[in-house]
């Protein structure tokens, strides 16, 4: 560990250059950064849990050193890749369904409500 | 399906200079590799749908014509909520890649700096020149949102930016550059061995080498060659030279120098002058300067080769040009747009290379495909980041006297 620098503070340093603003409300830009970072953390937690389960199954015992040095073999790497893909699909559902929505052309629900009230 | 997924981070070749990734640090990079692939595969197509279904019809209604330039498409798409959302996701993934790489590197910076010093003192492969100033095009913004760019220091003599660059290429490309992030250099080697199997260049120059990941495989393929790798950024060279030494390479000298001034090398000194994904990080003034210097130091009969993403030609649809331009405006690649608009063959011809000596070849990253899937292409391509390139090159004609 490097002690004479604040690695947590330094690692978060911004890149020079004005950041594009993607949304009309700047709070939304900030919210995206937090949601995505949390998403990554959940993904990392799941991966760690997967490691634990594999090691427990393999040995029946567990040490932190074993977790730190665990490397998925080719098959485990693929299995975990699939699981990550499925996880991302859950978190990203809203965006992915928006793509589907753009492919179709559903009228507003108000129109349906009005339509059904008439006949 | 599984064959196309990114490999786990632990598939990278762990050379001694590569920062050690803890379990969760590797897992975060795994997330980003998959997240980037998902953005390209599943979310990215929404850009075209938004364009065709509402942005283009609105543009036609307003202007009575189709867009005639990629910038018109960009202006229109930047008002579209979907494209803005997609851009926010992609920008964040780039920023997370930097943050995660820097956390990994900075927490072990003492060890990395000490190891780099040791390698560089013993190998003699590093030659720094404090009089070299960073060109403006490297300092106006931190290129591709890497804090500190290629040259910044957290403390004097450190290797942070070089080490962070090396560890994060995996996440950005989804492992498409292979175990040593050297798929580009490997591709060049495979191409030249097929093109001229008996060619043995004596001296090779790599301009803008950063951490040397693409010149190392070239130096290994031509172990008798004297290889010079230059960059203006000492912070990247320190890491790159140590990395090359750690990989057992002995025939590269990493020299701090600017490609705009190669005056320390005489005319015709090199048989091969190479740049790999470098020209797009210059400026309109610097690009022709560097090409002219490259031409000058290239020996008659020698080869100049520049690896880049495809240029924007009239044949490339405007919408694809717009997508490929995203990094210029959203990922701190400010010369990307103007550079890809240039006719590189014309620029090369302006150095004095005869038109008939010029060529363009297509190359793809060469990786260990048992571990690393090939870079997705076609509609699945992550424009600007795919490990699929054009090689713009030329064989400099022999002097008339030598040819006779």
């Amino acid at each position: 560990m490097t002690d004479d620098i604040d690695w947590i503070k330094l690692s978060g340093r911004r890149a020079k250059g004005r950041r594009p603003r993607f949304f009309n409300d700047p709070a939304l830009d900030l919210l995206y950064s937090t949601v995505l970072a949390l998403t990554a953390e959940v993904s990392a937690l799941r991966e760690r849990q997967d490691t634990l389960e594999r090691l427990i199954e393999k040995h029946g015992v567990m040490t932190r050193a074993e977790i730190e040095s665990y490397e998925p073999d080719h098959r485990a790497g693929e299995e975990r890749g699939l699981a990550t893909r499925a996880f991302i699909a859950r978190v990203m559902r809203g965006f992915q369904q928006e793509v589907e929505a753009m492919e179709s052309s559903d009228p507003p629900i108000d129109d349906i409500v009005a339509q059904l009230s008439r006949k | 399906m599984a064959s196309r997924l990114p490999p786990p981070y632990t598939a990278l070749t762990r050379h001694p200079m590569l920062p050690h990734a803890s379990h969760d640090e590797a897992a975060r990079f795994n997330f980003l590799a998959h997240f980037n692939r998902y953005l390209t595969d599943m979310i990215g197509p929404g850009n075209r749908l938004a364009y065709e279904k509402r942005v283009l019809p609105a543009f036609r209604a307003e202007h009575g014509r189709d867009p005639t330039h990629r910038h018109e498409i960009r202006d229109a798409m930047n008002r579209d909520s979907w494209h803005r959302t997609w851009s926010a996701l992609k920008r964040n993934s780039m920023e997370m890649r930097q943050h995660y790489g820097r956390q990994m590197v900075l927490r072990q910076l003492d060890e990395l700096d000490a190891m780099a010093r040791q390698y560089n003192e013993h190998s003699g492969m590093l030659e720094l020149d404090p009089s070299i100033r960073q060109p403006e095009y490297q300092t106006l913004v931190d290129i591709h949102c890497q804090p500190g760019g290629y040259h910044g220091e957290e403390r004097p003599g450190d290797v942070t930016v070089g080490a962070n660059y090396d560890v994060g290429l995996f996440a950005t490309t989804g492992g498409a550059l292979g175990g040593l992030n050297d798929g580009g250099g490997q591709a060049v080697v495979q191409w030249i061995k097929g093109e001229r199997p008996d060619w043995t260049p004596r001296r090779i120059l790599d301009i803008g080498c950063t951490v040397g990941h693409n010149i190392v495989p070239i130096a290994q393929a031509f172990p008798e060659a004297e290889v010079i790798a230059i960059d203006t950024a000492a912070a990247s060279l320190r890491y790159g030279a140590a990395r090359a030494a750690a990989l057992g390479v002995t025939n590269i000298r990493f020299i701090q120098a600017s490609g705009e001034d190669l005056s320390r090398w005489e005319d015709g000194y090199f048989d091969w002058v190479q740049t790999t994904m470098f020209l797009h990080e210059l400026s309109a003034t610097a690009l022709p300067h560097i090409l002219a210097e490259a031409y000058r130091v290239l020996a008659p009969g020698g080869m100049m080769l520049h690896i880049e993403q495809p240029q924007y030609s009239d044949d490339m649809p405007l919408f694809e040009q717009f997508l490929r331009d995203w990094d210029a405006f959203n990922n701190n690649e400010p010369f990307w747009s103007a550079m890809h608009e240039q006719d590189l063959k014309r620029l090369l011809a302006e150095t004095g290379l005869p038109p008939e000596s010029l060529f363009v070849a297509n190359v793809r990253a060469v990786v260990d495909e048992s571990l690393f899937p090939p870079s997705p292409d076609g509609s699945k391509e992550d424009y600007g980041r795919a490990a699929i390139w054009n090689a713009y090159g030329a064989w400099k004609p022999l002097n008339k006297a030598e040819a006779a």
Side-chain angles (χ1 to χ4, degrees), chain B residues 132-193:
Chain B
I132 297 293
R133 303 184 78 89
Q134 295 311 308
E136 188 181 45
Y137 49 82
Q138 287 289 320
T139 57
L140 285 174
V141 298
D142 286 343
I143 288 187
H144 45 67
C145 292
Q146 173 162 297
Y150 293 107
H151 59 278
E153 296 182 332
E154 301 301 332
R155 59 188 185 196
D158 76 332
V159 297
T160 302
V161 292
N164 176 39
Y165 184 61
D166 200 12
V167 295
L169 284 169
F170 168 87
T172 315
T173 61
L177 294 177
L180 285 166
N181 294 317
D182 64 352
Q186 298 277 9
V188 169
V189 168
Q190 188 183 70
W191 176 82
I192 191 64
K193 295 280 187 186

Side-chain angles (χ1 to χ4, degrees), chain B residues 75-376:
Chain B
D75 288 343
M77 287 293 279
N78 278 346
R79 290 193 291 274
D80 183 79
S81 64
W82 173 262
H83 181 64
R84 288 159 70 163
T85 301
W86 178 81
S87 292
L89 294 170
K90 195 155 161 132
R91 168 78 180 211
N92 269 287
S93 102
M94 297 296 152
E95 291 169 339
M96 290 158 77
R97 167 260 171 273
Q98 298 298 343
H99 197 177
Y100 298 168
R102 285 173 61 82
Q103 281 204 347
M104 186 196 299
V105 167
L106 287 166
R107 71 166 173 80
Q108 56 191 303
L109 190 59
D110 284 353
E111 293 87 338
L112 291 171
D113 281 350
M115 195 153 41
R117 256 195 312 276
Q118 207 166 14
Y119 274 118
N120 290 334
E121 279 169 13
H122 285 88
S123 77
M125 298 201 308
L126 177 64
E127 183 184 324
L128 297 183
D129 179 354
S131 73
I132 297 293
R133 303 184 78 89
Q134 295 311 308
E136 188 181 45
Y137 49 82
Q138 287 289 320
T139 57
L140 285 174
V141 298
D142 286 343
I143 288 187
H144 45 67
C145 292
Q146 173 162 297
Y150 293 107
H151 59 278
E153 296 182 332
E154 301 301 332
R155 59 188 185 196
D158 76 332
V159 297
T160 302
V161 292
N164 176 39
Y165 184 61
D166 200 12
V167 295
L169 284 169
F170 168 87
T172 315
T173 61
L177 294 177
L180 285 166
N181 294 317
D182 64 352
Q186 298 277 9
V188 169
V189 168
Q190 188 183 70
W191 176 82
I192 191 64
K193 295 280 187 186
E195 188 77 8
R196 298 226 175 157
D198 300 325
W199 189 49
T200 50
R202 293 159 301 170
R203 303 191 190 100
I204 303 170
L205 174 67
D206 182 25
I207 306 175
C209 66
T210 65
V211 297
H213 51 306
N214 287 310
I215 194 62
V216 161
I218 294 173
Q220 287 171 324
F222 298 97
E224 305 300 319
E226 173 194 352
V227 182
I228 307 287
I230 67 167
D231 203 288
T232 56
S236 291
L237 290 170
R238 280 192 289 269
Y239 178 80
R243 178 186 180 278
L247 287 166
V249 175
T250 56
N251 59 327
I252 307 179
R253 267 196 304 151
F254 290 84
I255 299 178
Q256 188 176 11
S258 167
E260 292 187 75
D261 176 12
L262 302 175
S263 54
R264 62 184 284 169
W265 292 286
E266 62 200 44
D267 294 0
Y269 186 79
F270 294 99
D271 298 315
W272 178 352
V273 178
Q274 173 75 29
T275 73
T276 307
M277 291 302 287
F278 169 65
L279 302 182
H280 67 267
E281 295 184 355
L282 302 171
S283 71
T285 312
L287 175 56
H289 285 172
I290 287 178
L291 294 180
E293 275 292 82
Y295 175 80
R296 184 186 64 76
V297 298
L298 186 64
M303 180 183 66
M304 195 190 298
L305 195 67
H306 307 284
I307 302 290
E308 286 291 335
Q309 293 277 329
Q311 299 298 97
Y312 305 154
S313 67
D314 292 341
D315 298 335
M316 186 185 284
L318 286 179
F319 187 77
E320 181 180 336
Q321 294 183 24
F322 148 74
L323 284 178
R324 289 182 174 277
D325 240 20
W326 186 88
D327 285 83
F329 300 95
N330 296 285
N331 193 30
N332 282 4
E333 290 272 20
F335 188 49
W336 180 279
S337 184
M339 184 272 166
H340 282 93
E341 201 170 65
Q342 303 253 15
D343 180 350
L344 264 183
K345 286 183 89 164
R346 183 180 57 76
L347 284 178
L348 288 171
E350 283 173 2
T351 66
L353 288 162
E356 64 272 17
S357 71
L358 305 175
F359 62 84
V360 181
N362 297 105
V363 293
R364 284 173 165 268
V366 173
V367 299
D368 175 357
E369 290 187 10
S370 68
L371 290 172
F372 295 90
S375 193

